[in-house]
């Protein structure tokens, strides 16, 4: 838990979110600024800043997060989807609590 982290505050319900999945390790909610008809974020409850801060101790958690993507995408009616993990400022990361973006729906996504 990091006191100035927006996703930690979502985990503790101090900030509301459009959450639709939760278990003991992970929460999933819709992105507040969606870039596709369906766009959600898979977020661990554990505060880890980015993929670059992960090590072998996070292996099971990362695997679990990744395997949730197709399950939840299917539940939301997606037939295909894109996953994205922005890492570091140069990687476009804005919220420094690791998360997987999952998005799709509507038109076929462009290649880039
Ligand atoms: P990133 O650039 O990978 O760090 O992405 C951060 C994402 O978090 C952006 O797509 C934001 O729209 C999203 N975001 C920021 N604040 C919230 C919030 N309170 N609820 C839901 N999504 C958020
Ligand atoms: Zn956090």
């Amino acid at each position: 838990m990091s006191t100035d982290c927006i996703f930690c505050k979502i985990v503790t319900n101090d900030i509301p979110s459009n959450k639709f999945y939760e278990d003991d390790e992970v929460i999933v909610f819709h992105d507040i600024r969606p870039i596709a008809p369906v766009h959600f974020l898979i977020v661990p409850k554990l505060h880890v800043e980015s993929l670059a801060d992960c090590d072998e101790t996070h292996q099971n958690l990362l695997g679990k997060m990744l395997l949730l993507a197709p399950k939840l995408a299917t539940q939301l009616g997606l037939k295909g989807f894109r996953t994205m993990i922005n890492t570091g400022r140069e990687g476009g990361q804005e919220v420094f609590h690791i998360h997987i973006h999952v998005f799709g729906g509507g038109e076929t996504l462009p290649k880039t």
Side-chain angles (χ1 to χ4, degrees), residues 1-2 4-9 11 44-48 95-98:
M1 167 86 190
S2 168
D4 58 355
C5 171
I6 192 167
F7 285 180
C8 281
K9 287 180 179 154
V11 167
K45 292 187 171 178
L46 180 71
H47 178 86
V48 182
V95 176
F96 287 85
H97 179 134
I98 190 172

Side-chain angles (χ1 to χ4, degrees), residues 95-111:
V95 176
F96 287 85
H97 179 134
I98 190 172
H99 50 281
I100 302 177
H101 294 255
V102 181
F103 52 93
E107 300 291 314
T108 302
L109 290 164
K111 281 291 169 204

